[in-house]
Amino acid sequence: MIGIVGYGGYIPRFRIKVEEIASVWNADAKAIKSGLNIEEKSVPSMDEDTATIAVEAALNALKMAEIDPKEIGAIYVGSESHPYAVKPTATIVGEAIGCGAEFTAADTEFACKAGTAGIQMVMGLIEGGYIKFGLAIGSDTAQSKPGDALEYTASAGGAAFILGKNNVIGEIEGTFSFSSDTPDFWRRDGIEYPSHGGRFTGIPAYFKHVVSATQGLMKKLGLKSSDFDHVVFHMPNGKFPINAAKMLGFDLEKLKAGFVVSKIGNTYSASSLLGLAAILDVAKPGQRILITSYGSGAGSDAFSIKVTDLVEEKRKKTKKIQDYIDDKEYVTYAHYTRLRRGI
Amino acid sequence: MGHESSVPLFWRLIKPRYQLIGTKCTSCGNVFYPPKFLCPVCRKEGKLEEIKLRKTGKILTFSIIRSAPAGFEKETPYPVAIIELDDGPKLTSQIVDYKEEDLKIGRRVEACFRRIYTDGKEGIINYGLKFRPA
Ligand SMILES: [Zn+2]
């Protein structure tokens, strides 16, 4: 069965606290913190972007997979902040991790679910017998308009998954998607910052898609909420995934292992994938994981993953997500403004 | 357009720069980075082959750049170090993700993938390796 041969994450070291951002805009930090259930978010360094973050995550995944990178037949990088408008991020990753030249590559875009879309594409290529291993990455350095509500959450991070058929640490039991044309969040070409539909992002957008994809997956696989040991939903803030879990009847304890949002913010394309990586860092063999992504505009991809015995040995080879969360340095808003401009 | 002239050079250096690939002389065993294609010791007797260097080493010496060359002004002040790789070669690199106490001779460092410089708003983004405390 197709599964995860290796995975890895990366989170930039800088953090900014909600209080620090709120003080600049004379906003009520306490209300924002409890409203969003967020304490701080990651901030990329001046010389970091979606490509550099994707490379670091991919190198970590490769360390765990212990395969020859030249055996990777496909690379997909999902992001809403690719460094070039025209020129793929995926080939930069391929060159940096030593994949040679005999692989197919493309960048995917679908707001925050571009990474999970890449996983599905890799699954198809492996199942069809076209490639042996494939690499799917979700990576972002999310931008937000200064003073906008998104400024408290839009952050940076990446997660990479190498899929294959042998020596897997988690078998992918199935996937199910739910998509519709819902204008909850967008950015027109050439415009610096995204726009969003405010409250409209909740019920008809995030919840409808996350719940429908998850229910569809469970129906397809004949599983119920109690069959899962860990669950992770896309984390645009610290509230939405909790409400989604309640709507779907999941015990909230099951969210805990993958709930990275309070400490790093919304890493967009990496959000649910970093949550999955954090779960795989602690999951026990035999446990079942549910991951459902969400991308504005709108769609969700849900996956069921059964953890194998190999997880305990293989995950020792790579830095854990918690290590990245703990390794941090706080910046002031002035420093943050300087970092955001990049080089 | 100024940025076009540097594109071929940039492209030739991608592989050694992204992956830390050097060359090793098969007769004397010397390792070179950036890659050399003629061994200065063995001359024509030596045969050089590509080698993927380990991305770890230590700081030999460093200095803080306060007045930077064009393209690097936004980053000042930043440390630049001469690093001795565990495989032998020495190279000069920016140190990133450091705390003040990390800037000392002998500090272990590892390579990470970063933007080196960008050619204005329209040119190529030059990526490559920098070093961070290990
Ligand atoms: Zn020689």
Side-chain angles (χ1 to χ4, degrees), chain A residues 173 217-225 227-228 288 304:
Chain A
E173 298 181 303
L217 179 78
M218 291 197 286
K219 195 176 165 208
K220 184 178 170 187
L221 299 178
L223 296 170
K224 45 191 193 308
S225 54
D227 291 323
F228 293 93
R288 182 178 278 125
S304 175

Side-chain angles (χ1 to χ4, degrees), chain B residues 25 27-28 39 41-42:
Chain B
C25 174
S27 49
C28 71
C39 177
V41 182
C42 312

Side-chain angles (χ1 to χ4, degrees), chain A residues 13-131:
Chain A
R13 273 182 75 238
F14 294 117
R15 301 285 183 280
I16 189 162
K17 292 187 177 185
V18 165
E19 286 90 342
E20 179 67 17
I21 300 173
S23 71
V24 171
W25 305 107
N26 280 322
D28 182 352
K30 227 174 147 186
I32 293 163
K33 276 173 87 168
S34 73
L36 295 172
N37 192 18
I38 294 253
E39 292 171 38
E40 55 202 47
K41 68 165 188 175
S42 65
V43 178
S45 184
M46 219 177 261
D47 56 1
E48 290 184 294
D49 64 19
T50 290
T52 67
I53 289 170
V55 168
E56 294 284 329
L59 288 170
N60 280 336
L62 207 49
K63 261 186 219 159
M64 188 188 298
E66 291 188 307
I67 59 165
D68 179 353
K70 293 197 170 62
E71 286 194 302
I72 292 174
I75 302 177
Y76 296 111
V77 182
S79 181
E80 60 103 66
S81 53
H82 289 291
Y84 287 96
V86 178
K87 193 192 172 310
T89 306
T91 53
I92 298 171
V93 173
E95 194 75 65
I97 70 171
C99 287
E102 295 177 12
F103 63 94
T104 179
D107 290 356
T108 55
E109 284 182 24
F110 194 146
C112 300
K113 85 156 195 84
T116 54
I119 289 181
Q120 292 176 326
M121 288 156 75
V122 166
M123 285 171 68
L125 289 172
I126 292 172
E127 196 60 72
Y130 294 102
I131 61 170

Side-chain angles (χ1 to χ4, degrees), chain A residues 10 13 45-49 51-52 55-56 59 69 83-84 92 95-98 327 329 338 341-343, chain B residues 14-15 18-19 52 55 74-76 96-99 112-118 123-125 127 130 132:
Chain A
Y10 180 81
R13 273 182 75 238
S45 184
M46 219 177 261
D47 56 1
E48 290 184 294
D49 64 19
T52 67
V55 168
E56 294 284 329
L59 288 170
Y84 287 96
I92 298 171
E95 194 75 65
I97 70 171
D327 180 16
E329 186 181 335
R338 195 176 163 219
R341 281 194 214 116
I343 59 170
Chain B
I14 279 184
K15 205 165 137 188
Y18 280 21
Q19 296 181 45
K52 205 166 185 168
K55 291 177 178 173
K74 282 188 192 167
E75 294 177 89
T76 56
V96 295
D97 285 1
Y98 64 94
K99 294 190 183 83
C112 55
F113 193 74
R114 295 292 172 102
R115 282 186 179 206
I116 305 295
Y117 66 93
T118 52
I124 285 281
I125 303 167
Y127 292 98
K130 295 182 183 177
R132 66 184 168 214

Side-chain angles (χ1 to χ4, degrees), chain A residues 36 80 111-112 142-154 182-188 191-202 204-206 236-237 240 266 268 294-297:
Chain A
L36 295 172
E80 60 103 66
C112 300
Q143 295 290 327
S144 52
K145 208 177 283 178
D148 188 281
L150 286 178
E151 197 174 20
Y152 296 100
T153 54
T182 308
D184 60 326
F185 177 98
W186 62 89
R187 179 170 64 80
R188 294 272 299 277
I191 304 297
E192 195 174 1
Y193 301 115
S195 302
H196 52 90
R199 291 198 168 271
F200 187 52
T201 56
Y206 179 88
N237 53 54
F240 278 21
N266 177 7
Y268 282 53
Y294 174 72
S296 295

